[in-house]
Amino acid sequence: MFLLLLACSEYDLKPSANVPEPLGDSGLVELFAQLETDPTTIASVVCEEQLEVVMLSNVGEAELVVDAVSIDGDGWEVVQADVPLTIAVGESTDIVISGTDGTADLVIQSNDPDGELRIPLQAAADTSPWVELVEPAVDEIIAEQAAVELVALVSDGQDLPEQMQVEFSSDLTGSIGTVTPDSSGTASVLWAAENRDPGLQTVSVSVVDTCGLVEFDSAEVCQQAGYEADELDISTWSFSGTASWDGSNSWVELTPATTSQLGSAFQTATSLDGSSISIRFEFFIGNGSGADGLAMTVIDTSRMTSFLGNAGGCIGYGSHSECDGGGPGLPGWSVEVDTYQNGHDPTAQDHVAMSLDGDVANPQAWAVLPEMEDTGWHTFEADLDSGHLTVSIDGVAYIDQAVSVSSFPAYVGFTAGTGSLTNEHLIKSLSVTEYACEE
Ligand SMILES: [Ca+2]
Ligand SMILES: [Ca+2]
């Protein structure tokens, strides 16, 4: 203690910082230590355990002696404080405390005449973020070539959206992309068609906050399979006989309108399940004297030996003793648009017929057609799903019945033939969908 002389001795004050107190009649005043801390209050969000350094300073005029440092409350503890400790005038020292989750006071007892000093402490444990997968929807069927945007909404009790990371993934294809949400909490990525695999799968989204806490959401979806042939390089087609690609008109010419022609064109870039498939294309028949027709064939690639069946009334896919050649038909199933009566045909009229393995004389299904020659482009749609076949032309259903087709690996293609009579047979705008998903 330092004792100083005072000029007067009228003070009778409670001991307080920097206020000298006269010591009775002696005329001496006592100097006191004074404790200050930095910070004076602590409130923090805690990931696991938050360490906080508290600086104790002696701003008084006498040596400060800290006798005890303790916690009054929950969720905090003193990590480092070598009490009792002394702090010279004008000097400082650090102590360390840690918080997890709770409210308390840091209590410092010293020779500061003001008595114990309390620092309010608050630790709020971090909470998990929140995420909702908005797109795709649960049970959504994704079209084969569609542009797909995956969208999620996120939020967090502590972090701003843009402080977090969002990852989209599929259990079939793995990670789709990691993005930072915008300030509204929206996160999105584009899922390109070439990065998607067909079939049932779970699309998941995860969000991680700055404390590393993760939350998930997911939806089961199904990706259809198929292709738009117009979008594929024509070099991936297999042409046989008279068939060729007409680049100036962007169509496939199966035969010109000359006699005894035979051609086929198969799209061979993509193999699909031939028993669960939807096919759409446009055809033109005309500019000739009226034979023989064209056919769409879903060819069994495990049994095929060529892309051509027989000519004439077998329309390039079939097999029959009446046809030129007499060799095997194309394995798989075919639907013909027949514009000329042969002895093996089911009717004397122009007709549509579905047969297996090129067996043109024993169609599984058939129907009479209205005039199809020299009447422009026609839209053909065949749909085989769960053993049920529908065939429609220009929106009119001509076949709608059960057929017996088992699963097989398939290409889709076309054949056509002429004989003594002729027609130009043209195809364009092929679109094929495999039913990887139950519609
Ligand atoms: Ca959080
Ligand atoms: Ca015929």
Side-chain angles (χ1 to χ4, degrees):
M1 289 287 177
F2 295 91
L3 297 177
L4 294 178
L5 286 170
L6 261 193
C8 62
S9 58
E10 298 156 7
Y11 299 106
D12 185 18
L13 296 175
K14 167 181 171 289
S16 180
N18 295 329
V19 179
E21 181 189 3
L23 291 178
D25 296 335
S26 71
L28 298 177
V29 294
E30 187 177 5
L31 295 181
F32 296 100
Q34 184 180 5
L35 172 63
E36 279 189 4
T37 66
D38 182 22
T40 58
T41 181
I42 295 173
S44 58
V45 174
V46 176
C47 292
E48 288 181 358
E49 178 185 45
Q50 179 82 10
L51 290 178
E52 297 281 355
V53 175
V54 179
M55 185 172 73
L56 310 182
S57 299
N58 181 2
V59 297
E61 294 177 311
E63 184 176 74
L64 177 68
V65 178
V66 176
D67 304 308
V69 174
S70 61
I71 299 293
D72 179 12
D74 298 321
W76 288 84
E77 63 180 14
V78 177
V79 175
Q80 182 193 324
D82 295 325
V83 290
L85 55 85
T86 58
I87 305 172
V89 174
E91 297 297 316
S92 300
T93 192
D94 289 340
I95 64 172
V96 181
I97 60 176
S98 80
T100 50
D101 187 13
T103 302
D105 281 343
L106 173 62
V107 183
I108 304 167
Q109 288 169 324
S110 70
N111 61 338
D112 182 328
D114 285 344
E116 70 179 20
L117 187 151
R118 285 179 172 258
I119 299 178
L121 307 174
Q122 271 195 320
D126 180 49
T127 56
S128 292
W130 171 89
V131 62
E132 179 183 1
L133 185 61
V134 177
E135 295 285 345
V138 173
D139 294 333
E140 185 167 326
I141 293 175
I142 301 172
E144 50 276 12
Q145 295 292 334
V148 174
E149 185 178 31
L150 306 179
V151 181
L153 294 176
V154 302
S155 66
D156 187 69
Q158 297 77 37
D159 292 335
L160 296 172
E162 55 268 41
Q163 292 178 288
M164 298 188 285
Q165 289 289 300
V166 172
E167 181 174 22
F168 296 91
S169 62
S170 157
D171 62 348
L172 279 190
T173 60
S175 180
I176 297 166
T178 300
V179 293
T180 301
D182 65 19
S183 59
S184 74
T186 301
S188 65
V189 296
L190 286 176
W191 194 12
E194 63 264 29
N195 295 331
R196 309 199 298 260
D197 285 347
L200 277 176
Q201 56 202 288
T202 300
V203 170
S204 300
V205 60
S206 66
V207 60
V208 56
D209 71 7
T210 55
C211 276
L213 292 183
V214 182
E215 197 58 58
F216 298 90
D217 194 18
S218 64
E220 185 171 81
V221 301
C222 192
Q223 172 66 59
Q224 286 288 24
Y227 56 85
E228 300 278 343
D230 279 359
E231 297 176 359
L232 299 179
D233 185 345
I234 200 64
S235 67
T236 66
W237 287 62
S238 178
F239 293 97
S240 303
T242 57
S244 65
W245 171 248
D246 183 338
S248 60
N249 290 305
S250 295
W251 63 53
V252 172
E253 182 185 84
L254 295 168
T255 72
T258 53
T259 58
S260 299
Q261 302 293 302
L262 174 65
S264 81
F266 277 81
Q267 199 290 125
T268 55
T270 308
S271 176
L272 300 170
D273 181 352
S275 70
S276 186
I277 197 166
S278 177
I279 300 146
R280 187 179 189 280
F281 61 92
E282 294 180 43
F283 69 83
F284 174 87
I285 300 175
N287 296 331
S289 52
D292 273 279
L294 60 78
M296 180 278 298
T297 292
V298 180
I299 194 169
D300 185 341
T301 61
S302 70
R303 293 190 290 139
M304 63 174 286
T305 55
S306 84
F307 286 114
L308 277 179
N310 295 288
C314 286
I315 309 183
Y317 76 93
S319 176
H320 194 274
S321 58
E322 289 178 10
C323 305
D324 295 339
L330 298 182
W333 60 275
S334 304
V335 178
E336 64 174 20
V337 177
D338 189 328
T339 57
Y340 181 80
Q341 183 193 7
N342 301 93
H344 61 256
D345 284 334
T347 172
Q349 296 174 273
D350 289 356
H351 59 278
V352 59
M354 182 272 194
S355 59
L356 303 177
D357 293 342
D359 188 1
V360 294
N362 296 290
Q364 299 288 299
W366 65 273
V368 171
L369 286 177
E371 185 60 55
M372 290 283 158
E373 294 167 275
D374 294 309
T375 51
W377 286 92
H378 299 280
T379 299
F380 176 105
E381 294 173 282
D383 188 299
L384 177 60
D385 188 17
S386 304
H388 193 96
L389 176 69
T390 59
V391 174
S392 64
I393 296 174
D394 299 329
V396 177
Y398 292 100
I399 295 173
D400 186 356
Q401 68 175 69
V403 294
S404 179
V405 177
S406 299
S407 180
F408 62 89
Y411 294 143
V412 174
F414 307 94
T415 62
T418 65
S420 57
L421 299 183
T422 69
N423 262 331
E424 196 173 29
H425 296 98
L426 310 175
I427 296 292
K428 67 178 182 180
S429 303
L430 172 63
S431 167
V432 178
T433 300
E434 176 186 3
Y435 287 115
C437 315
E438 297 290 331
E439 297 272 6

